[in-house]
PDB file of all heavy atoms in Angstrom:
ATOM      1  N   ASP A  27    -145.001  33.500-135.236  1.00  0.00           N
ATOM      2  CA  ASP A  27    -145.338  33.059-133.875  1.00  0.00           C
ATOM      3  C   ASP A  27    -145.627  31.565-133.808  1.00  0.00           C
ATOM      4  O   ASP A  27    -146.496  31.114-133.072  1.00  0.00           O
ATOM      5  CB  ASP A  27    -146.545  33.853-133.354  1.00  0.00           C
ATOM      6  CG  ASP A  27    -146.567  33.926-131.841  1.00  0.00           C
ATOM      7  OD1 ASP A  27    -145.548  33.562-131.218  1.00  0.00           O
ATOM      8  OD2 ASP A  27    -147.597  34.317-131.278  1.00  0.00           O
ATOM      9  N   SER A  28    -144.858  30.794-134.590  1.00  0.00           N
ATOM     10  CA  SER A  28    -145.118  29.351-134.662  1.00  0.00           C
ATOM     11  C   SER A  28    -144.892  28.631-133.337  1.00  0.00           C
ATOM     12  O   SER A  28    -145.485  27.584-133.098  1.00  0.00           O
ATOM     13  CB  SER A  28    -144.229  28.703-135.724  1.00  0.00           C
ATOM     14  OG  SER A  28    -144.499  29.283-136.969  1.00  0.00           O
ATOM     15  N   ALA A  29    -144.019  29.180-132.477  1.00  0.00           N
ATOM     16  CA  ALA A  29    -143.783  28.511-131.193  1.00  0.00           C
ATOM     17  C   ALA A  29    -145.049  28.526-130.357  1.00  0.00           C
ATOM     18  O   ALA A  29    -145.293  27.612-129.567  1.00  0.00           O
ATOM     19  CB  ALA A  29    -142.645  29.183-130.435  1.00  0.00           C
ATOM     20  N   ALA A  30    -145.895  29.553-130.517  1.00  0.00           N
ATOM     21  CA  ALA A  30    -147.134  29.630-129.753  1.00  0.00           C
ATOM     22  C   ALA A  30    -148.258  28.895-130.479  1.00  0.00           C
ATOM     23  O   ALA A  30    -148.972  28.080-129.886  1.00  0.00           O
ATOM     24  CB  ALA A  30    -147.524  31.081-129.517  1.00  0.00           C
ATOM     25  N   THR A  31    -148.405  29.156-131.762  1.00  0.00           N
ATOM     26  CA  THR A  31    -149.456  28.504-132.560  1.00  0.00           C
ATOM     27  C   THR A  31    -148.930  28.281-133.965  1.00  0.00           C
ATOM     28  O   THR A  31    -148.700  29.245-134.690  1.00  0.00           O
ATOM     29  CB  THR A  31    -150.717  29.397-132.657  1.00  0.00           C
ATOM     30  OG1 THR A  31    -151.100  29.788-131.353  1.00  0.00           O
ATOM     31  CG2 THR A  31    -151.858  28.655-133.319  1.00  0.00           C
ATOM     32  N   LYS A  91    -150.503  18.555-125.617  1.00  0.00           N
ATOM     33  CA  LYS A  91    -151.125  19.628-126.399  1.00  0.00           C
ATOM     34  C   LYS A  91    -150.209  20.849-126.531  1.00  0.00           C
ATOM     35  O   LYS A  91    -150.547  21.789-127.226  1.00  0.00           O
ATOM     36  CB  LYS A  91    -152.490  20.015-125.832  1.00  0.00           C
ATOM     37  CG  LYS A  91    -152.461  20.662-124.471  1.00  0.00           C
ATOM     38  CD  LYS A  91    -153.899  21.046-124.095  1.00  0.00           C
ATOM     39  CE  LYS A  91    -153.956  21.792-122.785  1.00  0.00           C
ATOM     40  NZ  LYS A  91    -153.536  20.954-121.637  1.00  0.00           N
ATOM     41  N   GLY A  92    -149.056  20.821-125.923  1.00  0.00           N
ATOM     42  CA  GLY A  92    -148.156  21.960-126.085  1.00  0.00           C
ATOM     43  C   GLY A  92    -146.861  21.743-125.334  1.00  0.00           C
ATOM     44  O   GLY A  92    -146.682  20.748-124.623  1.00  0.00           O
ATOM     45  N   ALA A  93    -145.941  22.716-125.493  1.00  0.00           N
ATOM     46  CA  ALA A  93    -144.627  22.622-124.861  1.00  0.00           C
ATOM     47  C   ALA A  93    -144.734  22.661-123.336  1.00  0.00           C
ATOM     48  O   ALA A  93    -144.075  21.885-122.637  1.00  0.00           O
ATOM     49  CB  ALA A  93    -143.742  23.769-125.349  1.00  0.00           C
ATOM     50  N   THR A  94    -145.576  23.555-122.811  1.00  0.00           N
ATOM     51  CA  THR A  94    -145.663  23.707-121.354  1.00  0.00           C
ATOM     52  C   THR A  94    -146.162  22.415-120.716  1.00  0.00           C
ATOM     53  O   THR A  94    -145.597  21.941-119.723  1.00  0.00           O
ATOM     54  CB  THR A  94    -146.624  24.866-120.996  1.00  0.00           C
ATOM     55  OG1 THR A  94    -146.238  26.014-121.761  1.00  0.00           O
ATOM     56  CG2 THR A  94    -146.579  25.199-119.531  1.00  0.00           C
ATOM     57  N   GLU A  95    -147.208  21.833-121.308  1.00  0.00           N
ATOM     58  CA  GLU A  95    -147.728  20.582-120.764  1.00  0.00           C
ATOM     59  C   GLU A  95    -146.681  19.471-120.859  1.00  0.00           C
ATOM     60  O   GLU A  95    -146.474  18.703-119.925  1.00  0.00           O
ATOM     61  CB  GLU A  95    -148.998  20.167-121.507  1.00  0.00           C
ATOM     62  CG  GLU A  95    -149.639  18.943-120.875  1.00  0.00           C
ATOM     63  CD  GLU A  95    -150.740  18.328-121.735  1.00  0.00           C
ATOM     64  OE1 GLU A  95    -151.059  18.855-122.811  1.00  0.00           O
ATOM     65  OE2 GLU A  95    -151.268  17.300-121.313  1.00  0.00           O
ATOM     66  N   GLY A  96    -145.988  19.409-122.010  1.00  0.00           N
ATOM     67  CA  GLY A  96    -144.993  18.364-122.221  1.00  0.00           C
ATOM     68  C   GLY A  96    -143.848  18.459-121.213  1.00  0.00           C
ATOM     69  O   GLY A  96    -143.425  17.458-120.625  1.00  0.00           O
ATOM     70  N   ILE A  97    -143.353  19.673-120.980  1.00  0.00           N
ATOM     71  CA  ILE A  97    -142.203  19.831-120.079  1.00  0.00           C
ATOM     72  C   ILE A  97    -142.644  19.640-118.621  1.00  0.00           C
ATOM     73  O   ILE A  97    -141.903  19.080-117.808  1.00  0.00           O
ATOM     74  CB  ILE A  97    -141.482  21.171-120.326  1.00  0.00           C
ATOM     75  CG1 ILE A  97    -140.940  21.182-121.764  1.00  0.00           C
ATOM     76  CG2 ILE A  97    -140.336  21.384-119.340  1.00  0.00           C
ATOM     77  CD1 ILE A  97    -140.301  22.478-122.209  1.00  0.00           C
ATOM     78  N   TYR A 119    -131.956  32.264-121.778  1.00  0.00           N
ATOM     79  CA  TYR A 119    -132.943  32.778-122.738  1.00  0.00           C
ATOM     80  C   TYR A 119    -134.182  31.877-122.837  1.00  0.00           C
ATOM     81  O   TYR A 119    -134.954  31.990-123.801  1.00  0.00           O
ATOM     82  CB  TYR A 119    -132.322  32.959-124.129  1.00  0.00           C
ATOM     83  CG  TYR A 119    -131.783  31.690-124.757  1.00  0.00           C
ATOM     84  CD1 TYR A 119    -132.635  30.712-125.253  1.00  0.00           C
ATOM     85  CD2 TYR A 119    -130.416  31.461-124.845  1.00  0.00           C
ATOM     86  CE1 TYR A 119    -132.153  29.549-125.825  1.00  0.00           C
ATOM     87  CE2 TYR A 119    -129.913  30.305-125.409  1.00  0.00           C
ATOM     88  CZ  TYR A 119    -130.791  29.358-125.901  1.00  0.00           C
ATOM     89  OH  TYR A 119    -130.303  28.213-126.447  1.00  0.00           O
ATOM     90  N   GLU A 120    -134.370  30.982-121.872  1.00  0.00           N
ATOM     91  CA  GLU A 120    -135.488  30.036-121.999  1.00  0.00           C
ATOM     92  C   GLU A 120    -136.851  30.713-121.828  1.00  0.00           C
ATOM     93  O   GLU A 120    -137.023  31.612-121.009  1.00  0.00           O
ATOM     94  CB  GLU A 120    -135.347  28.904-120.974  1.00  0.00           C
ATOM     95  CG  GLU A 120    -134.126  28.046-121.164  1.00  0.00           C
ATOM     96  CD  GLU A 120    -134.014  27.482-122.573  1.00  0.00           C
ATOM     97  OE1 GLU A 120    -135.021  27.040-123.138  1.00  0.00           O
ATOM     98  OE2 GLU A 120    -132.894  27.505-123.124  1.00  0.00           O
ATOM     99  N   HIS A 121    -137.811  30.240-122.598  1.00  0.00           N
ATOM    100  CA  HIS A 121    -139.207  30.660-122.444  1.00  0.00           C
ATOM    101  C   HIS A 121    -139.727  30.087-121.120  1.00  0.00           C
ATOM    102  O   HIS A 121    -139.207  29.087-120.617  1.00  0.00           O
ATOM    103  CB  HIS A 121    -140.003  30.076-123.618  1.00  0.00           C
ATOM    104  CG  HIS A 121    -141.435  30.493-123.657  1.00  0.00           C
ATOM    105  ND1 HIS A 121    -142.433  29.788-123.025  1.00  0.00           N
ATOM    106  CD2 HIS A 121    -142.043  31.525-124.272  1.00  0.00           C
ATOM    107  CE1 HIS A 121    -143.589  30.373-123.249  1.00  0.00           C
ATOM    108  NE2 HIS A 121    -143.394  31.431-124.003  1.00  0.00           N
ATOM    109  N   HIS A 122    -140.782  30.702-120.568  1.00  0.00           N
ATOM    110  CA  HIS A 122    -141.354  30.222-119.302  1.00  0.00           C
ATOM    111  C   HIS A 122    -141.719  28.738-119.342  1.00  0.00           C
ATOM    112  O   HIS A 122    -141.678  28.061-118.319  1.00  0.00           O
ATOM    113  CB  HIS A 122    -142.605  31.040-118.940  1.00  0.00           C
ATOM    114  CG  HIS A 122    -142.264  32.267-118.171  1.00  0.00           C
ATOM    115  ND1 HIS A 122    -143.191  33.148-117.699  1.00  0.00           N
ATOM    116  CD2 HIS A 122    -141.067  32.748-117.790  1.00  0.00           C
ATOM    117  CE1 HIS A 122    -142.590  34.118-117.051  1.00  0.00           C
ATOM    118  NE2 HIS A 122    -141.310  33.910-117.098  1.00  0.00           N
ATOM    119  N   ALA A 123    -142.078  28.278-120.546  1.00  0.00           N
ATOM    120  CA  ALA A 123    -142.469  26.860-120.687  1.00  0.00           C
ATOM    121  C   ALA A 123    -141.323  25.938-120.280  1.00  0.00           C
ATOM    122  O   ALA A 123    -141.546  24.823-119.802  1.00  0.00           O
ATOM    123  CB  ALA A 123    -142.886  26.571-122.128  1.00  0.00           C
ATOM    124  N   ASN A 124    -140.085  26.408-120.479  1.00  0.00           N
ATOM    125  CA  ASN A 124    -138.911  25.594-120.141  1.00  0.00           C
ATOM    126  C   ASN A 124    -138.174  26.178-118.938  1.00  0.00           C
ATOM    127  O   ASN A 124    -136.984  25.968-118.774  1.00  0.00           O
ATOM    128  CB  ASN A 124    -137.953  25.504-121.347  1.00  0.00           C
ATOM    129  CG  ASN A 124    -136.891  24.437-121.150  1.00  0.00           C
ATOM    130  OD1 ASN A 124    -137.117  23.429-120.470  1.00  0.00           O
ATOM    131  ND2 ASN A 124    -135.725  24.656-121.726  1.00  0.00           N
ATOM    132  N   SER A 169    -133.258  25.310-125.214  1.00  0.00           N
ATOM    133  CA  SER A 169    -133.852  25.333-126.551  1.00  0.00           C
ATOM    134  C   SER A 169    -132.736  25.548-127.563  1.00  0.00           C
ATOM    135  O   SER A 169    -131.903  26.432-127.364  1.00  0.00           O
ATOM    136  CB  SER A 169    -134.827  26.496-126.682  1.00  0.00           C
ATOM    137  OG  SER A 169    -135.649  26.562-125.568  1.00  0.00           O
ATOM    138  N   LEU A 171    -133.145  26.794-130.449  1.00  0.00           N
ATOM    139  CA  LEU A 171    -133.414  28.045-131.167  1.00  0.00           C
ATOM    140  C   LEU A 171    -134.337  28.922-130.329  1.00  0.00           C
ATOM    141  O   LEU A 171    -135.436  28.489-129.953  1.00  0.00           O
ATOM    142  CB  LEU A 171    -134.079  27.737-132.521  1.00  0.00           C
ATOM    143  CG  LEU A 171    -134.536  28.937-133.352  1.00  0.00           C
ATOM    144  CD1 LEU A 171    -133.359  29.812-133.740  1.00  0.00           C
ATOM    145  CD2 LEU A 171    -135.247  28.461-134.613  1.00  0.00           C
ATOM    146  N   SER A 172    -133.883  30.133-130.029  1.00  0.00           N
ATOM    147  CA  SER A 172    -134.714  31.065-129.263  1.00  0.00           C
ATOM    148  C   SER A 172    -135.547  31.912-130.214  1.00  0.00           C
ATOM    149  O   SER A 172    -135.002  32.517-131.136  1.00  0.00           O
ATOM    150  CB  SER A 172    -133.824  31.980-128.422  1.00  0.00           C
ATOM    151  OG  SER A 172    -134.561  33.124-128.031  1.00  0.00           O
ATOM    152  N   ASN A 173    -136.865  31.967-129.983  1.00  0.00           N
ATOM    153  CA  ASN A 173    -137.695  32.818-130.849  1.00  0.00           C
ATOM    154  C   ASN A 173    -137.707  34.260-130.352  1.00  0.00           C
ATOM    155  O   ASN A 173    -138.340  35.118-130.930  1.00  0.00           O
ATOM    156  CB  ASN A 173    -139.121  32.266-130.982  1.00  0.00           C
ATOM    157  CG  ASN A 173    -139.895  32.319-129.683  1.00  0.00           C
ATOM    158  OD1 ASN A 173    -139.308  32.430-128.614  1.00  0.00           O
ATOM    159  ND2 ASN A 173    -141.205  32.235-129.764  1.00  0.00           N
ATOM    160  N   VAL A 174    -137.027  34.508-129.254  1.00  0.00           N
ATOM    161  CA  VAL A 174    -136.904  35.883-128.769  1.00  0.00           C
ATOM    162  C   VAL A 174    -135.644  36.504-129.361  1.00  0.00           C
ATOM    163  O   VAL A 174    -135.660  37.616-129.875  1.00  0.00           O
ATOM    164  CB  VAL A 174    -136.838  35.911-127.225  1.00  0.00           C
ATOM    165  CG1 VAL A 174    -136.641  37.327-126.721  1.00  0.00           C
ATOM    166  CG2 VAL A 174    -138.092  35.297-126.635  1.00  0.00           C
TER     167      VAL A 174
HETATM  168  C1  PLP B   1    -140.469  29.717-127.438  1.00  0.00           C
HETATM  169  C2  PLP B   1    -141.740  29.219-126.840  1.00  0.00           C
HETATM  170  N1  PLP B   1    -141.691  28.072-126.166  1.00  0.00           N
HETATM  171  C3  PLP B   1    -142.801  27.579-125.595  1.00  0.00           C
HETATM  172  C4  PLP B   1    -144.012  28.240-125.672  1.00  0.00           C
HETATM  173  C5  PLP B   1    -145.191  27.647-124.984  1.00  0.00           C
HETATM  174  O1  PLP B   1    -145.828  26.818-125.838  1.00  0.00           O
HETATM  175  P1  PLP B   1    -147.149  26.037-125.455  1.00  0.00           P
HETATM  176  O2  PLP B   1    -148.282  27.007-125.635  1.00  0.00           O
HETATM  177  O3  PLP B   1    -147.150  24.937-126.464  1.00  0.00           O
HETATM  178  O4  PLP B   1    -147.067  25.549-124.061  1.00  0.00           O
HETATM  179  C6  PLP B   1    -144.122  29.418-126.385  1.00  0.00           C
HETATM  180  C7  PLP B   1    -145.408  30.113-126.473  1.00  0.00           C
HETATM  181  O5  PLP B   1    -145.513  31.254-126.886  1.00  0.00           O
HETATM  182  C8  PLP B   1    -142.953  29.934-126.974  1.00  0.00           C
HETATM  183  O6  PLP B   1    -142.986  31.096-127.652  1.00  0.00           O
END
Side-chain angles (χ1 to χ4, degrees):
D27 206 12
S28 300
T31 308
K91 67 177 184 295
T94 310
E95 186 192 358
I97 298 175
Y119 61 73
E120 297 306 318
H121 184 270
H122 273 182
N124 193 30
S169 314
L171 175 62
S172 161
N173 67 341
V174 177

